[in-house]
Amino acid sequence: MTLHLLMVDDHPTQIEGYKLILGYNETGHDIVNTTAFNGESAYHIITNPVNAGRFDIVFLDLSLPPYPEKDIRSGEDLAVLVRKTWPKTKIVMLTSHAEAIVLYNIIKKVEPEGLLVKSDFSAHELLHAFEKIVNGETYHSATVRAGTKQLLSQANYLDRMNREIILQLSRGNKTKQIAEILNVSPSTVEKRKVHIKDSLDIEKGTDDDIVCEAKRRGFV
């Protein structure tokens, strides 16, 4: 049986490495690979009606050259497009980001069949993950499992906007900048920060205290 894979990564050598490794899979499948190196080329492959039902698995790097004309900013946006366009296709997301909030957001928004942090896996683990995914299982690498465990338990408190505020604070952005990024009012951001402090058990404190506690818990 043949499996058709779409691999999207802006580093051609990375794709060649994945292709070489997956060539040793023990699932009994032959693999046919199609590649894309940026958001634009991947978008056109995904939206081309000729490709409907063609791909069994899509490998997506999170960080990709964007395609702003179609509001594709990252591999996450492409993953959402794949879910909408090819609902039966399995999605494997690969990322260099180890921040728990980034990983958790991917899980909640995309629900990929595979999510792996690149620093986690060897050739052996990539093969192991691939075989599990082909067999209908979901695979998260070690950093994903460890980093998202506590966030999953606090899902009711740290919703998507609160998680994004924490992430932006960790990047040095202030209330006004965060409000512009999230397209909300500064007062909304300030109110959200109060709830964030409550969820992180911070009685009083500054933005820096939020970031320090989030880092202590491994969220960013």
Side-chain angles (χ1 to χ4, degrees), residues 39-141:
E40 181 176 358
S41 58
Y43 175 87
H44 289 298
I45 291 171
I46 296 166
T47 57
N48 189 335
V50 172
N51 292 322
R54 175 183 174 191
F55 293 101
D56 301 290
I57 304 175
V58 177
F59 280 74
L60 290 166
D61 188 19
L62 179 63
S63 300
L64 291 169
Y67 185 29
E69 291 85 350
K70 295 296 183 180
D71 203 27
I72 300 297
R73 300 174 300 276
S74 68
E76 184 177 291
D77 293 326
L78 285 173
V80 172
L81 181 63
V82 170
R83 277 280 181 254
K84 179 180 178 181
T85 310
W86 302 334
K88 294 183 179 180
T89 297
K90 300 178 188 295
I91 297 173
V92 180
M93 298 210 64
L94 306 154
T95 178
S96 297
H97 289 274
E99 302 97 327
I101 286 178
V102 172
L103 301 172
Y104 180 86
N105 285 345
I106 294 171
I107 291 172
K108 295 296 287 184
K109 187 174 181 179
V110 180
E111 297 183 352
E113 282 72 20
L115 177 56
L116 295 88
V117 174
K118 291 182 180 180
S119 59
D120 278 349
F121 65 84
S122 60
H124 175 76
E125 181 166 1
L126 181 59
L127 275 175
H128 179 62
F130 177 75
E131 289 165 4
K132 280 185 170 292
I133 292 163
V134 168
N135 289 323
E137 299 180 54
T138 298
Y139 190 89
H140 293 163
S141 67

Side-chain angles (χ1 to χ4, degrees), residues 1-5 7 17-33 57 59 123-135:
M1 183 177 175
T2 300
L3 284 177
H4 291 268
L5 273 57
M7 293 191 172
Y18 297 152
K19 287 163 65 175
L20 181 63
I21 292 167
L22 296 181
Y24 289 96
N25 80 88
E26 297 182 354
T27 64
H29 294 85
D30 295 321
I31 295 177
V32 175
N33 294 290
I57 304 175
F59 280 74
H124 175 76
E125 181 166 1
L126 181 59
L127 275 175
H128 179 62
F130 177 75
E131 289 165 4
K132 280 185 170 292
I133 292 163
V134 168
N135 289 323

